[in-house]
Amino acid sequence: MSRTALEAGPDGRPPPEDDRAFLCRPKGLLTLSGLEVWERFSFLGMQAILVLYFADTVAHGGMGMSPGTAASVSAAYGTLVHLVSVAGGWLADRVLGPYRAVLWGGVLIACGHYAMAVPTGTATWAGLGLISAGTGLLKPNAATMVGKLYRTDDERRDAGFALYYMAINIGAFAGPLITGWLGDHEGWHWGFSAAAIGMTLGLIQFVAGRRHLAGRGGAAEFALAPDALRRAVRLIVAGALVAAVLATAPAVAGWLTTGRFVDLLTVVSVVAPVGYFAVMFTSPRVTAGERGRLRPYIVLFLASTVFNFVLFQAYSTMMLLAASNAATTILGFGFPASWYPSALGAFEIALAPVVAALWVRMGPRQPHASDKIAIGVVLGGPSFLLMVLPTSGHGDDAYRMSLWFLSLALANGIQAQTVKLYDDVSKPAYFGVNGAVAVAAGLAVTAAAPWLRRTMHPVH
């Protein structure tokens, strides 16, 4: 994302100061927060039941995959989403503008969920493709639009983002509850239908509140002139159609199997960040000082990859484990296993204000940004180490934003391969090794903290 896009509206001026009606925040924050509630409701609600749908028997309405294959395909879908997000940020910055990128992305997501509501395999794959493309447009650019609501020096800016991320977690909490109940009681495609309705509601309120958004679609929002924009859109559509044909032809011929497509995405998820770093380190436009400040991001990139490798399995191997081994009754009340991911959103809603208050209280004594990341990775590892005991005995059973999405893509790409072992090794060994790697990575970042503090200056 360009820095100017974060600091000012499309006409180069910051948004008006008196545009406040939501907890003393700009009105546009309510619009964007509402969008994120429904987008996360639909995206994570669908993802909570996706691996269970893949692993369920065909007779029961599922896809009949083995647990390991189901987890691998689910992770590959996450890889595709985050790879496309890099392109989505570029398209908004250079061609579409953030408002239209978010709007069209939401339309694609809704269409994808409606496609998945159709009980056929073809509709499922088409729906996942549409959701991947739409999320790639919407996700990186919605946050950009939040930044455009504030001047850079506005003291309300951080609090505004805190409310925005709170909305994300509300959607993450509510989505699996609705889709999971419907998927368990009425059928998987009813759950996908709920995700479609949720995204539709998000789009309606986004369009209804567009007048409060900075950069809401005027001509000045675009990086290209109208004629050039039309040509660019035609090229994008033509390119997408060509890519679809190139992908369909090998699939019809039997060469591009699901397994090979998963492997291809993993290769891309590894090559893309390596190429991205190589370009940045060798570009003549990058100064020696900037190159020095770029080196610590390699460490943080790898730390992010390890952490999210653990986190994303909440929607794959952990879901499969919950469906087969975890208790699904509380005080006599039965609930679907797909409700477990809602705990992530609930804990984040409860703990985020506590952590934020802790950093404020500590002031200048709070840990450096690299230390906070290391602490997160170290704490993520035990979440898997804790699974060793309960699974014993069931052995059969703008560049930083791009780097962030590439780290998520790489985490999913690696996960798409490692989760294949879920069928072949004991569960204690699987979760124990995963957790130990995460802890080791966090300790390595902690050891590198002095160097990171020096080279990341002025980042605190």
Side-chain angles (χ1 to χ4, degrees), residues 13-30:
R13 294 177 299 178
E17 282 291 331
D18 59 350
D19 185 17
R20 305 178 185 182
F22 175 54
L23 301 177
C24 297
R25 311 294 168 189
K27 295 177 183 177
L29 183 61
L30 177 61

Side-chain angles (χ1 to χ4, degrees), residues 254-294:
W255 183 87
L256 187 62
T257 62
T258 300
R260 286 175 176 169
F261 185 66
V262 170
D263 295 342
L264 177 62
L265 285 177
T266 298
V267 171
V268 174
S269 73
V270 173
V271 171
V274 171
Y276 203 88
F277 273 112
V279 169
M280 289 191 293
F281 273 110
T282 58
S283 173
R285 292 182 294 178
V286 178
T287 66
E290 291 171 334
R291 198 170 288 115
R293 289 192 295 272
L294 181 60

